[in-house]
Amino acid sequence: MQYRHTVPEQSYWSNVENVPDKNLYYAAKVDGATKFDEFKYITFPNMKKLFLSVLMLSVISSFNEFDLPYIVSSGGANGTTTIMIYIYKTANISRKVGLASAMVVVLCAIIFVLLTFCFSVRALFKKLKYKRSVKT
């Protein structure tokens, strides 16, 4: 379970420390910007690509959550049944392999739609950034 959380955290921290120009923060302080303004106008715009990439990876890994809930509670106690555990139980315990295969296809379609949405948001960010740079 830990590896699913440490990769996004490490990515965020490495990207925060590698903001292109440290003088931007100094200029913002001189102009009287607060810490929130620094984050809103300097840090976050430089992290948009990483944010969307981590979002896509997190969506995929959340649908593939199987091992920890299954090991801890055999996938059923106190709402720990995830999509993958339900598919596993349908295929192996209920012996409905065809239904489980159909559920996997639907799950792949859902992941595809979500990733398409993430990529379209990413393209929208690029388009907005391009329009801003053309106007100025």
Side-chain angles (χ1 to χ4, degrees):
M1 179 83 170
Q2 273 301 324
Y3 66 91
R4 292 185 186 106
H5 300 293
T6 55
V7 171
E9 289 172 6
Q10 289 172 353
S11 301
Y12 283 130
W13 281 113
S14 67
N15 201 2
V16 165
E17 292 179 2
N18 292 326
V19 172
D21 190 8
K22 300 290 183 187
N23 293 329
L24 293 174
Y25 290 108
Y26 179 72
K29 283 185 182 179
V30 169
D31 290 340
T34 63
K35 289 287 185 185
F36 180 72
D37 290 335
E38 288 179 10
F39 178 78
K40 183 178 175 184
Y41 295 111
I42 299 171
T43 307
F44 185 71
N46 289 316
M47 293 178 63
K48 282 182 186 174
K49 287 182 181 179
L50 176 73
F51 179 73
L52 290 171
S53 300
V54 169
L55 178 67
M56 288 186 282
L57 291 173
S58 298
V59 165
I60 292 171
S61 69
S62 69
F63 281 114
N64 292 330
E65 187 71 33
F66 178 81
D67 52 356
L68 191 65
Y70 191 77
I71 291 170
V72 170
S73 65
S74 296
N78 298 327
T80 56
T81 301
T82 63
I83 295 172
M84 292 305 293
I85 291 175
Y86 186 69
I87 291 171
Y88 170 79
K89 285 184 175 183
T90 302
N92 294 323
I93 296 173
S94 300
R95 300 286 185 212
K96 297 178 183 176
V97 179
L99 178 62
S101 299
M103 291 185 337
V104 168
V105 170
V106 170
L107 180 64
C108 288
I110 290 170
I111 291 173
F112 178 75
V113 168
L114 289 173
L115 290 179
T116 304
F117 174 73
C118 287
F119 278 119
S120 64
V121 168
R122 187 180 216 172
L124 179 67
F125 279 151
K126 283 183 182 180
K127 200 178 286 186
L128 290 175
K129 184 178 179 181
Y130 177 73
K131 283 183 181 180
R132 272 193 244 139
S133 66
V134 170
K135 287 182 182 178
T136 56

